[in-house]
Amino acid sequence: MACLLEAPLRISVLSEVTATSRHYVDRLFDPDPQKVLQGVIDMKNAVIGNNKQKANLIVLGAVPRLLYLLQQGSSSSELRAECAVVLGSLAMGTENNIKSLVDCHIIPALLQGLLCPDLVFIEACLRCLRTVFISPVTPVQLLYTDPTVIPHLMSLLSRSQRTQEYITQIFSHCCKTPEHQTVLFNHGAIQNIAPLLISPSYKVRMQALKCFSVLAYENTQVSMTLVNVLVDEELLSQVFVRMMQRDQPIDMQLTAAKCLTYMCRAGAIRTDDSCIVLKTLPCLVRMCSKERLLEERVEGAETLAYLMEPDVELQRIASVTDHLVAMLADYFKYPSSVSAITDIKRLDHDLKHAHELRQAAFKLYASLGSNDEDIRKKITETENMMDRIVSGLSESSVKVRLAAVRCLHSLSRSVQQLRTSFHDHAVWKPLMKLLQNAPDEVLVMASSTLCNLLLEFSPSKEPILESGVIELLCSLTQSDSPALRVNGIWALMNMAFQADQKVKGEIVRALGTEQLFRLLSDPDSNVLMKTLGLLRNLLSTRPHIDQVMSSHGKQIMQAVTLILEGEHSIEVKEQTLCILANIADGNTAKELIMTNDDILQKIKYYMAHSNVKLQLAATFCISNLIWNEEDGEANAMTGSQERQDKLRELGFVDILHKLTQASDPNLCDRAKTAMQQYLA
């Protein structure tokens, strides 16, 4: 019988809950304003901490009625404030609750409410807006739709500590883009928020500080302004330094360190300034210690990685501060089986977020090792480091995979590591696996690393070649992403360097002449430069030059002509002239230049160019054309004599003679060497 009773019991309980919730909503429609007010107060008490009740009331249509009462001029101030409080409480439920509130247009209604003179009501509206805007499901753009909102919020900052806390919190959560930073900056955010850093309220100080960290991030204009701001006759940077002192709460230390980091990266503070070297950097290293909470260690490591990314001196200082390199190894062992965490909730949270620690450690190692050989050695010698990176490459989290490959890329800049650790751990295998199927951002970093593994002194080059990588790299050159096209062609360029004819043939075959020439007209100059580099490497050693030019000479000469005629940088034209110089070094290939008067005129033009690099490269072409040692063949002298005569007729000897007087010693020597060929 018990089993039969169970279902009806459940239905009756549910209908009872719904009936109770319905009763709360019905009271909002009572004609007596006093009863409506009491109904709202009772509803407020019923929903506190009760997500089920919140969901029921939303489903039963409480939100539109509360918003109606909130916006009615005839409603008392007390009723309007209580409505805002209930709406704020409903917003503290689930993300679905927030979506329902936003769909009911709660944000415009609350923003309108801020025009009311009543401070209690304003604070209730701001508290509710704060709760709605800190949710990840709320579109932050809603704050910027009406251009009068931001200046009005700025004017409300002086009303009370509560308005200061809520408004700065709204700003820090809704400042997501450079456009948002500009809007806030233009409406006086800096001068309005700076005085709040010395507020008696910790919450206000903290929210103001967070506001400055999001305003300064990657923003030179804001950062340059912040440097000169005075707060109570003290420079803002010094206020931030005080906030980083060890006796301050950790959240404050960390956020102040972020502000100074962002100002430094934006160029407003020098990297050798004492507030960075002696205060910010040590503070961030402290955040990496195992005494800190997981999220503090993550934020500390990621901010430190960002601070020193472009500066080798900061990397060296950090690497010897508080045993940082060894300290980061603990990020991979957390939480351990003997973890000191007694709070089950905290342990559960940390187990779910442990991958964030690994991601942060990889990022920081990547930043530490991006320039200095000794630091890279220190990192690779840290316990099981290479194994950890290899494991990181196959983690389920894309962010961890990206950070691991970034770390690998940083270490792959070392010749020594390529020859030792990379070879010993066969890192090319998981790297190749990663390249088969990954998001673009991972692909970019993985293919960049592969470029380094394909350098001629890397022991990994041979096994990678044998694994059929050429097809994969050729497919990257067809990507919509310029960065992937660059890396694909760069890797092929490295592969072709001093390669045998078989490998070069495979590259040309797999890439296809059509794609090669498409890349030679790529709008991205980096792609063009690397394609020219590949072509230059394919056209090295005489037999190879003659072979490639015999099958593709016409198209190559066409491409060269187009580049030399086009609007390209000095570097691109120099590389193109170097390709011509290689062609001129071939036995049969050089005839493609000698029979092309257009190309000869272009070489002549660049020999008299104002840029020395172009003059040198063009002179090199001529030097190779007039050279008279052609494998000891009987007709060698005849061939070179004919070329020399033709070039003399075209006026090249006169130009060479002038260049022997050039002020640049390299150009002068190159011209003299060429002239000696005429005299030989």
Side-chain angles (χ1 to χ4, degrees):
M1 287 300 286
C3 291
L4 292 171
L5 280 169
E6 193 174 298
L9 250 174
R10 277 189 178 163
I11 290 165
S12 65
V13 168
L14 186 63
S15 57
E16 199 178 300
V17 170
T18 313
T20 314
S21 305
R22 167 64 65 197
H23 170 64
Y24 286 121
V25 177
D26 289 344
R27 288 171 71 190
L28 301 179
F29 292 88
D30 197 290
D32 182 347
Q34 208 48 44
K35 286 183 179 174
V36 173
L37 174 62
Q38 194 52 51
V40 174
I41 292 168
D42 290 346
M43 185 184 281
K44 174 181 75 176
N45 295 330
V47 296
I48 291 171
N50 188 337
N51 275 350
K52 201 169 189 178
Q53 185 68 282
K54 289 175 186 179
N56 279 339
L57 290 170
I58 289 170
V59 169
L60 293 169
V63 176
R65 183 62 183 169
L66 287 166
L67 285 171
Y68 173 78
L69 295 170
L70 179 134
Q71 292 175 92
Q72 278 301 97
S74 56
S75 296
S76 68
S77 293
E78 191 183 355
L79 174 59
R80 295 172 80 187
E82 289 293 351
C83 286
V85 171
V86 175
L87 287 164
S89 192
L90 293 177
M92 284 180 175
T94 63
E95 288 187 351
N96 281 336
N97 291 10
I98 297 269
K99 283 178 186 167
S100 302
L101 292 170
V102 172
D103 290 343
C104 289
H105 307 291
I106 187 174
I107 292 172
L110 291 169
L111 290 172
Q112 191 64 33
L114 299 179
L115 298 171
C116 170
D118 184 77
L119 181 60
V120 176
F121 179 52
I122 287 173
E123 287 176 352
C125 287
L126 283 171
R127 192 183 307 117
C128 185
L129 279 166
R130 182 270 315 265
T131 306
V132 172
F133 273 122
I134 63 175
S135 165
V137 299
T138 305
V140 295
Q141 202 51 43
L142 292 172
L143 187 68
Y144 303 93
T145 314
D146 179 346
T148 64
V149 167
I150 301 294
H152 185 60
L153 287 170
M154 293 290 177
S155 73
L156 292 175
L157 277 169
S158 58
R159 293 292 300 272
S160 73
Q161 282 185 6
R162 285 201 180 104
T163 64
Q164 290 167 352
E165 180 195 337
Y166 303 146
I167 291 169
T168 47
Q169 197 171 358
I170 289 167
F171 285 162
S172 60
H173 276 277
C174 294
C175 185
K176 304 283 187 194
T177 67
E179 292 73 32
H180 296 161
Q181 289 173 325
T182 303
V183 170
L184 292 170
F185 177 81
N186 289 344
H187 283 106
I190 292 176
Q191 49 273 47
N192 282 302
I193 297 170
L196 308 185
L197 290 169
I198 52 170
S199 162
S201 159
Y202 171 74
K203 285 180 176 178
V204 172
R205 293 199 304 278
M206 200 55 233
Q207 292 307 332
L209 190 58
K210 284 183 175 172
C211 232
F212 281 128
S213 78
V214 295
L215 282 168
Y217 181 65
E218 291 189 347
N219 193 309
T220 305
Q221 184 187 32
V222 170
S223 296
M224 289 295 193
T225 308
L226 288 177
V227 163
N228 300 310
V229 169
L230 289 172
V231 180
D232 202 19
E233 297 185 10
E234 186 179 22
L235 276 172
L236 193 62
S237 56
Q238 286 311 304
V239 176
F240 292 153
V241 166
R242 270 195 297 104
M243 289 175 150
M244 284 192 297
Q245 287 171 355
R246 289 167 187 259
D247 60 349
Q248 296 296 336
I250 294 299
D251 198 17
M252 182 167 274
Q253 290 184 46
L254 191 46
T255 312
K258 282 167 86 169
C259 289
L260 288 164
T261 293
Y262 299 157
M263 288 164 71
C264 177
R265 282 299 307 266
I269 301 175
R270 288 166 56 103
T271 53
D272 59 359
D273 191 298
S274 63
C275 78
I276 297 296
V277 178
L278 302 178
K279 302 292 181 182
T280 309
L281 187 143
C283 171
L284 290 169
V285 172
R286 281 202 306 276
M287 297 300 144
C288 298
S289 79
K290 58 172 136 189
E291 283 71 50
R292 303 270 54 87
L293 292 174
L294 179 140
E295 44 272 43
E296 293 160 1
R297 293 170 80 186
V298 168
E299 220 172 319
E302 293 194 341
T303 308
L304 181 55
Y306 182 67
L307 171 67
M308 64 187 178
E309 195 175 27
D311 192 89
V312 66
E313 204 41 53
L314 286 180
Q315 290 157 15
R316 287 182 184 136
I317 294 166
S319 72
V320 293
T321 304
D322 290 353
H323 309 288
L324 177 64
V325 175
M327 197 196 294
L328 284 177
D330 288 334
Y331 277 46
F332 297 95
K333 307 170 192 169
Y334 183 87
S336 66
S337 53
V338 290
S339 180
I341 302 173
T342 49
D343 179 349
I344 296 299
K345 240 180 171 179
R346 165 52 65 179
L347 184 60
D348 182 53
H349 168 273
D350 285 4
L351 283 165
K352 283 178 186 156
H353 294 269
H355 67 277
E356 290 174 23
L357 272 179
R358 296 193 292 278
Q359 177 194 335
F362 283 137
K363 275 188 188 174
L364 186 42
Y365 276 137
S367 192
L368 273 168
S370 55
N371 292 291
D372 188 281
E373 193 59 43
D374 292 337
I375 300 175
R376 289 186 193 124
K377 189 168 184 289
K378 211 180 202 179
I379 292 169
T380 52
E381 287 172 357
T382 303
E383 51 175 321
N384 308 325
M385 192 58 213
M386 293 309 288
D387 292 333
R388 283 179 179 141
I389 295 173
V390 168
S391 302
L393 295 176
S394 56
E395 279 213 28
S396 56
S397 160
V398 173
K399 287 183 175 177
V400 176
R401 292 206 300 275
L402 179 60
V405 78
R406 197 172 263 158
C407 182
L408 196 63
H409 178 251
S410 182
L411 298 173
S412 74
R413 291 179 177 146
S414 157
V415 176
Q416 187 191 2
Q417 296 310 325
L418 284 173
R419 284 181 171 156
T420 54
S421 309
F422 277 59
H423 185 54
D424 298 343
H425 291 82
V427 295
W428 65 271
K429 287 180 181 173
L431 192 65
M432 289 291 291
K433 196 175 170 190
L434 194 61
L435 281 161
Q436 306 301 326
N437 181 25
D440 270 11
E441 54 182 347
V442 176
L443 269 182
V444 168
M445 204 45 70
S447 52
S448 255
T449 310
L450 192 64
C451 289
N452 292 344
L453 265 67
L454 285 166
L455 290 163
E456 91 277 8
F457 48 73
S458 163
S460 306
K461 183 173 182 175
E462 282 310 309
I464 292 173
L465 270 173
E466 287 161 16
S467 73
V469 73
I470 295 176
E471 296 286 345
L472 181 113
L473 295 173
C474 290
S475 69
L476 289 183
T477 70
Q478 296 176 13
S479 167
D480 291 336
S481 154
L484 284 177
R485 292 202 302 281
V486 166
N487 289 347
I489 206 75
W490 195 342
L492 290 169
M493 180 187 91
N494 287 352
M495 197 183 283
F497 182 74
Q498 294 184 350
D500 57 36
Q501 187 54 38
K502 179 175 170 283
V503 172
K504 289 183 180 178
E506 277 179 38
I507 292 172
V508 174
R509 245 191 328 278
L511 192 59
T513 47
E514 212 173 294
Q515 176 62 3
L516 181 63
F517 297 114
R518 198 177 292 127
L519 291 165
L520 284 170
S521 55
D522 197 282
D524 188 285
S525 63
N526 289 325
V527 175
L528 177 54
M529 273 298 279
K530 293 296 176 254
T531 309
L532 290 168
L534 168 64
L535 200 49
R536 192 173 167 185
N537 286 348
L538 291 171
L539 293 166
S540 62
T541 77
R542 282 180 188 152
H544 296 177
I545 294 167
D546 291 334
Q547 197 168 344
V548 173
M549 292 307 288
S550 67
S551 49
H552 305 292
K554 190 180 170 192
Q555 297 106 307
I556 289 173
M557 294 305 284
Q558 255 177 343
V560 164
T561 307
L562 283 171
I563 292 168
L564 291 177
E565 283 175 353
E567 293 290 318
H568 291 290
S569 66
I570 297 294
E571 289 74 22
V572 165
K573 295 202 169 182
E574 181 192 14
Q575 188 79 296
T576 308
L577 287 166
C578 287
I579 288 170
L580 270 182
N582 282 15
I583 295 169
D585 194 38
N587 288 333
T588 56
K590 56 170 50 106
E591 285 311 311
L592 287 162
I593 299 176
M594 289 307 302
T595 55
N596 189 329
D597 286 351
D598 186 23
I599 283 284
L600 287 170
Q601 287 303 325
K602 284 181 171 51
I603 294 171
K604 190 173 169 184
Y605 166 77
Y606 285 109
M607 283 175 77
H609 200 274
S610 57
N611 186 283
V612 174
K613 285 181 176 178
L614 297 182
Q615 285 182 290
L616 257 170
T619 307
F620 201 32
C621 291
I622 293 303
S623 190
N624 281 350
L625 285 174
I626 60 182
W627 203 257
N628 59 22
E629 294 173 25
E630 291 174 26
D631 299 335
E633 293 171 18
N635 64 349
M637 292 300 288
T638 322
S640 68
Q641 192 59 54
E642 284 172 7
R643 289 195 301 278
Q644 287 181 10
D645 291 345
K646 180 171 181 178
L647 294 170
R648 189 191 299 275
E649 282 167 31
L650 291 169
F652 280 93
V653 176
D654 296 338
I655 298 173
L656 282 172
H657 190 69
K658 272 186 199 159
L659 292 178
T660 58
Q661 310 298 314
S663 57
D664 183 85
N666 292 332
L667 183 56
C668 179
D669 289 348
R670 173 58 56 203
K672 282 177 181 171
T673 307
M675 285 299 287
Q676 281 163 9
Q677 287 299 305
Y678 268 102
L679 303 171

